Amino acid sequence: MKLTLRVWRQSGPQDKGKMVEYKLDDISPDASFLEMLDVLNEKLIADGAEPVAFDHDCREGICGMCSLVINGTPHGPERNTTTCQLHMRKFKDGEVIDVEPWRAKAFPVVKDLVVDRSAFDRIIQSGGYITAPTGTAPEAHSTPVPKPDADAAFEAAECIGCGACVAACPNGSAALFLGAKITHLGLMPQGQPERWDRAVSMLDTHDSEGFGGCTNTGECTVVCPKGIGLDVIGRLNGDYLKASAGGKKK
């Protein structure tokens, strides 16, 4: 395949970035998107130019580090797929592909396609955990959990914290990420002691980090590589209202 890449280049957080065009030949349709960027960087290094900085780790669709906006869509054109699992056969020979970083106030650009997502870490630190001692693995039936709750908790726990929901949201909201974390802990018996404090502290931290408010446009669910639904945002709102208005907050 022959491709034209227009890649966002920015040398640092305080610098003004711009799109730079590159030409690539002989890209295998079976290559992943990140492998294609590896080829670009090998070419740039051979030419004595600065390689493109981009984030990645496992390259198995698990960690969510491969945070790229491809032709205006976080993670690219294939639904329920991370950038590292996106293959070049999804594009046409001769296509022009725009590659940009996540765009959000709470995700400042570090360099080129790399953004600082430590705001997510601070949200988790504010309440995304349980303090109930678990010890060794309990007997399977020692703590009965209704199957609908177990299924919903498992689906919410699939969130990998990639931030695609934030990049897609016109308000820059992390409500889908936050709702997933609130849901998967709030549905389990072990998550009940901190349930109400968790909802308040995590949402307050979310707002203080500069994320926008949720207006239920649904763009977040469209780009989520794990297909997490809007119902988790409803549970987040419900827990927050009960905690703040219902006097459940300590």
Side-chain angles (χ1 to χ4, degrees), residues 9-249:
R9 302 305 306 264
Q10 184 174 340
S11 58
Q14 306 305 320
D15 297 313
K16 184 178 180 180
K18 63 179 181 179
M19 300 293 279
V20 179
E21 186 172 294
Y22 302 101
K23 302 286 187 179
L24 285 179
D25 296 326
D26 298 324
I27 297 297
S28 170
D30 295 324
S32 73
F33 200 88
L34 296 190
E35 288 171 337
M36 180 273 296
L37 291 180
D38 289 337
V39 173
L40 170 63
N41 278 344
E42 289 171 1
K43 181 177 183 295
L44 291 175
I45 292 170
D47 293 341
E50 181 78 13
V52 176
F54 63 94
D55 227 342
H56 63 93
D57 193 359
C58 72
R59 299 200 179 202
E60 294 179 350
I62 297 171
C63 70
M65 295 295 288
C66 51
S67 50
L68 301 179
V69 175
I70 302 167
N71 285 343
T73 302
H75 288 304
E78 188 171 4
R79 293 287 295 270
N80 300 329
T81 303
T82 54
T83 296
C84 63
Q85 295 296 294
L86 176 67
H87 290 84
M88 300 313 298
R89 54 181 171 268
K90 287 293 179 179
F91 301 90
K92 297 178 181 177
D93 185 29
E95 187 168 348
V96 178
I97 304 174
D98 289 344
V99 189
E100 301 172 81
W102 282 176
R103 304 281 189 185
K105 178 182 177 182
F107 289 161
V109 173
V110 176
K111 183 178 181 180
D112 295 339
L113 305 175
V114 179
V115 300
D116 180 359
R117 288 176 291 179
S118 58
F120 270 12
D121 297 329
R122 291 187 286 275
I123 290 175
I124 294 297
Q125 289 165 3
S126 69
Y129 53 83
I130 62 172
T131 58
T134 56
T136 57
E139 292 294 327
H141 300 294
S142 61
T143 306
V145 179
K147 191 174 189 305
D149 288 349
D151 290 344
F154 185 84
E155 290 171 5
E158 288 188 278
C159 171
I160 56 177
C162 67
C165 51
V166 178
C169 179
N171 307 322
S173 172
L176 192 72
F177 161 79
L178 184 55
K181 301 306 178 184
I182 292 287
T183 296
H184 93 256
L185 293 173
L187 285 172
M188 294 288 97
Q190 297 88 344
Q192 297 310 305
E194 290 90 14
R195 179 176 176 180
W196 311 111
D197 286 343
R198 177 185 302 117
V200 173
S201 60
M202 291 184 73
L203 187 53
D204 287 350
T205 303
H206 167 280
D207 294 347
S208 69
E209 289 290 342
F211 293 101
C214 174
T215 51
N216 289 312
T217 61
E219 292 294 326
C220 53
T221 65
V222 174
V223 301
C224 175
K226 298 303 178 181
I228 295 171
L230 284 175
D231 58 306
V232 300
I233 299 179
R235 183 170 292 278
L236 159 66
N237 292 335
D239 278 12
Y240 184 83
L241 288 173
K242 290 176 183 177
S244 56
K248 292 183 180 295
K249 182 183 176 184

